[in-house]
Amino acid sequence: HWPSNGILYMNPDIQYIMLTIWVNLDINFILFVFLSILQMVEVMFRHYRAIKYELVGRRNFYSAGGEFGTPYPIGCGKEGVTGFFGSMRPASWKDGSLLLNIDVAHTAFYKEQPLLNFIQDFMNFREDDFHRPLEPFKRSKLLQELRNIRVQVTHSNIPRTYKIIDVSEHSAEKQTFPLKDENTGNTVYCTIENYFKNQYGKKIKFPKLNCVQVSPAERNVFIPFECCKIYKGQRVVKKLSDRETAQFIRTTAVPPATRKKQICNIHRTNDFTQDPMLKNLQFSIAERPLHMEGRILPAPELLMDAPVQPREGVWDARRRSFYRGADINTWVVMNYNPRFVDQRSTETFITKLLHMADEKGMKFSEPVAAFGVWKPCPEQDFTRLKQEYSNLQLVLVILGRGGDLYARIKRTGDTEVGILSQCVQATNVTAIKPQTLGNILLKINAKMGGINNVLSRTGMPMVSLNHGNYFYNCYFTRTSKSTSTC
């Protein structure tokens, strides 16, 4: 209300609310300014590197020329390329200075090579395969891999680049497109083979092979495979195969000391202090990484049937029994890949699995059934097993690679029907390794209520609930297989 003296008096609650709004607006404004400045510094930091290297995402830089390491083949016309991750991060270190975060990064690129060589690697073709048209399923498989890849033509003096949108249904000698006759002005249909012969004087070496269709689609541009090469600097965005992923991981997994050396080499190669953008901001970057003092905690001792001491960061449990083994009396083996794993291989695997289970202290009975399934359907198979064996504890399923069977098994068995499942790759059944059997039993024992190991009291500090203790729980995860960078 307005009193006679003209001074505005406000309710204390309203004053508090208005003050809170003003403070929040002030904090938000300061935060907005700070983030804007940090974003500006980030943009200036990556500007020079985005021109010099291949920028993937916002902070990953790769050199196709092998500046940070020689590209390594991973199969099927793809190669792993080494780069680095770089980002400016705010920190409270030394009166609020910024920190430059650098790490080694790897991703897969398509190898710059003739398109025929790529097709030969990817499709596992021989020379005679290029002298006949692609079968429908092979054409579909190749199109799935080639779609949206950029190629550079080799038949013209002008190195034009195009994006692949399709693979022609017909061969170069049969595939036609509308062409306007310069003399008569009429539109005629010309084959790809005749067009390249008349226009460029080039004889097609593989006229019976299909062609690629490039964008834009309305122009009906078809180019023979032999006249294209994979354009450089293209990152693989499709999911890598299991073999490619395994080769990728084998090459990129290095010891910490080697990784640190790679990071220091990246810092030395880039010479960030001489970056024109950063020099204008009067930034100086230290030559050595940030050094902080710390201490290494002793690794805990595990208790199985006897104490297990770690050696070089590894607890060797190969000759140890579980702390408490599980009892499994009723279980079934379903072979979802009988074409690859026969009955004898299955029985050999079961025998060795049970032998090791006995060594590990588990009471693992013979399976009540072991059979092959030529037409897998987890929804029906698990329901039928539940009806036949009311006290069924576990179903061990032998699987091939690929497909959605694993997800369906877990959803049906563990969630809907209520039967625990353990999946095993078919290759691990035919090529039995003691380490693989041990890992499988670790999972089975934990699932079935056993205890693999516990912390030894001698390796665990005394914890009392009567005093102040801080419990910190951490969960480690990993990226999915579809991620092509690491």
Side-chain angles (χ1 to χ4, degrees):
H1 61 278
W2 288 94
S4 58
N5 57 9
I7 300 176
L8 177 63
Y9 291 93
M10 301 179 66
N11 187 300
D13 293 335
I14 298 177
Q15 292 181 12
Y16 173 76
I17 294 173
M18 293 188 66
L19 178 62
T20 303
I21 294 174
W22 182 86
V23 171
N24 288 337
L25 286 174
D26 190 42
I27 293 175
N28 290 334
F29 178 74
I30 294 174
L31 181 62
F32 170 76
V33 172
F34 172 76
L35 292 178
S36 299
I37 294 174
L38 184 61
Q39 184 179 15
M40 178 199 70
V41 174
E42 278 269 286
V43 172
M44 296 180 72
F45 166 76
R46 66 172 178 261
H47 172 73
Y48 177 72
R49 272 145 290 281
I51 297 175
K52 186 178 180 181
Y53 306 116
E54 294 287 341
L55 176 63
V56 176
R58 295 176 58 185
R59 299 183 176 93
N60 291 286
F61 307 90
Y62 296 93
S63 172
E67 185 173 339
F68 308 114
T70 305
Y72 45 91
I74 59 176
C76 294
K78 306 180 184 75
E79 56 185 11
V81 177
T82 305
F84 72 95
F85 168 89
S87 175
M88 292 285 190
R89 299 293 177 89
S92 58
W93 182 260
K94 290 186 178 179
D95 300 327
S97 60
L98 291 173
L99 294 182
L100 174 60
N101 184 13
I102 304 175
D103 195 8
V104 181
H106 299 268
T107 192
F109 278 76
Y110 289 105
K111 181 181 178 181
E112 184 183 9
Q113 61 178 337
L115 186 57
L116 282 179
N117 292 359
F118 175 85
I119 295 173
Q120 187 174 20
D121 290 341
F122 179 73
M123 303 293 292
N124 197 23
F125 273 4
R126 299 189 300 269
E127 178 71 21
D128 57 343
D129 291 319
F130 292 119
H131 292 281
R132 54 174 174 262
L134 294 172
E135 299 174 15
F137 75 94
K138 291 184 178 179
R139 173 177 170 268
S140 176
K141 177 182 177 181
L142 182 60
L143 174 59
Q144 188 176 4
E145 184 67 23
L146 289 181
R147 182 178 279 126
N148 294 327
I149 292 180
R150 299 192 69 84
V151 292
Q152 188 178 68
V153 296
T154 58
H155 64 276
S156 173
N157 294 329
I158 304 175
R160 294 188 177 93
T161 59
Y162 299 94
K163 183 173 70 173
I164 297 177
I165 59 174
D166 202 354
V167 174
S168 64
E169 295 184 6
H170 307 291
S171 62
E173 65 181 6
K174 294 183 179 180
Q175 182 66 51
T176 61
F177 68 98
L179 178 65
K180 188 174 183 180
D181 193 322
E182 296 180 355
N183 297 325
T184 62
N186 297 329
T187 300
V188 297
Y189 282 89
C190 178
T191 64
I192 304 299
E193 182 183 20
N194 290 336
Y195 178 79
F196 272 75
K197 181 179 180 181
N198 299 331
Q199 187 72 16
Y200 301 103
K202 180 177 177 59
K203 182 180 179 181
I204 302 300
K205 184 178 178 181
F206 304 108
K208 296 185 181 298
L209 192 61
N210 305 56
C211 304
V212 291
Q213 183 180 1
V214 298
S215 59
E218 57 272 10
R219 293 186 58 187
N220 293 313
V221 180
F222 296 91
I223 307 174
F225 289 138
E226 62 192 80
C227 297
C228 301
K229 71 174 184 178
I230 303 291
Y231 191 62
K232 63 180 180 180
Q234 296 185 82
R235 187 172 71 95
V236 179
V237 295
K238 299 180 177 69
K239 180 182 178 181
L240 297 177
S241 67
D242 292 338
R243 181 175 299 178
E244 293 166 350
T245 302
Q247 181 62 36
F248 187 86
I249 294 175
R250 274 196 297 267
T251 309
T252 57
V254 296
T258 304
R259 192 178 187 92
K260 179 186 175 183
K261 185 178 179 180
Q262 292 175 340
I263 295 173
C264 292
N265 180 57
I266 291 171
H267 178 267
R268 183 173 58 257
T269 302
N270 275 270
D271 196 8
F272 296 105
T273 305
Q274 298 302 319
D275 186 329
M277 288 285 187
L278 299 182
K279 287 181 68 176
N280 290 335
L281 294 175
Q282 298 182 355
F283 278 11
S284 62
I285 301 176
E287 295 183 0
R288 295 180 176 273
L290 181 64
H291 178 78
M292 300 183 70
E293 293 185 359
R295 60 192 179 99
I296 301 177
L297 298 176
E301 181 183 76
L302 296 182
L303 184 61
M304 299 183 74
D305 60 329
V308 181
Q309 292 285 352
R311 293 183 179 179
E312 298 181 357
V314 177
W315 289 268
D316 189 356
R318 286 177 293 183
R319 289 174 291 276
R320 300 296 181 189
S321 300
F322 294 136
Y323 182 78
R324 187 177 72 194
D327 295 344
I328 305 175
N329 300 315
T330 309
W331 65 293
V332 169
V333 178
M334 279 199 306
N335 183 6
Y336 272 3
N337 196 1
R339 190 182 303 277
F340 184 78
V341 182
D342 57 19
Q343 188 65 21
R344 174 177 291 183
S345 299
T346 303
E347 292 173 355
T348 303
F349 175 79
I350 294 172
T351 301
K352 293 189 176 182
L353 183 70
L354 295 180
H355 178 72
M356 182 169 285
D358 183 64
E359 294 178 350
K360 295 289 185 181
M362 298 177 64
K363 295 180 180 179
F364 216 148
S365 303
E366 291 281 344
V368 294
F371 53 89
V373 181
W374 289 92
K375 293 182 180 180
C377 181
E379 293 79 7
Q380 297 179 4
D381 297 336
F382 274 80
T383 302
R384 178 174 54 82
L385 289 174
K386 182 72 171 179
Q387 295 172 352
E388 293 182 7
Y389 308 100
S390 57
N391 57 344
L392 186 60
Q393 297 173 274
L394 176 71
V395 177
L396 189 144
V397 186
I398 302 173
L399 286 177
R401 293 188 178 275
D404 62 344
L405 284 177
Y406 178 82
R408 292 168 60 189
I409 289 170
K410 293 301 177 182
R411 182 181 65 250
T412 304
D414 298 7
T415 306
E416 297 176 0
V417 180
I419 301 177
L420 293 175
S421 61
Q422 176 61 51
C423 297
V424 181
Q425 285 286 347
T427 52
N428 292 329
V429 176
T430 55
I432 305 173
K433 297 180 181 179
Q435 182 179 0
T436 304
L437 293 176
N439 291 337
I440 293 173
L441 289 173
L442 278 171
K443 296 181 179 181
I444 293 177
N445 190 63
K447 290 178 181 179
M448 302 306 299
I451 300 176
N452 296 337
N453 53 68
V454 295
L455 283 174
S456 173
R457 290 189 175 274
T458 59
M460 181 175 59
M462 294 298 294
V463 176
S464 174
L465 298 179
N466 297 324
H467 299 85
N469 295 288
Y470 183 74
F471 293 89
Y472 183 76
N473 178 36
C474 110
Y475 177 77
F476 294 92
T477 184
R478 60 182 178 180
T479 56
S480 64
K481 289 185 178 180
S482 60
T483 303
S484 56
T485 59
C486 69

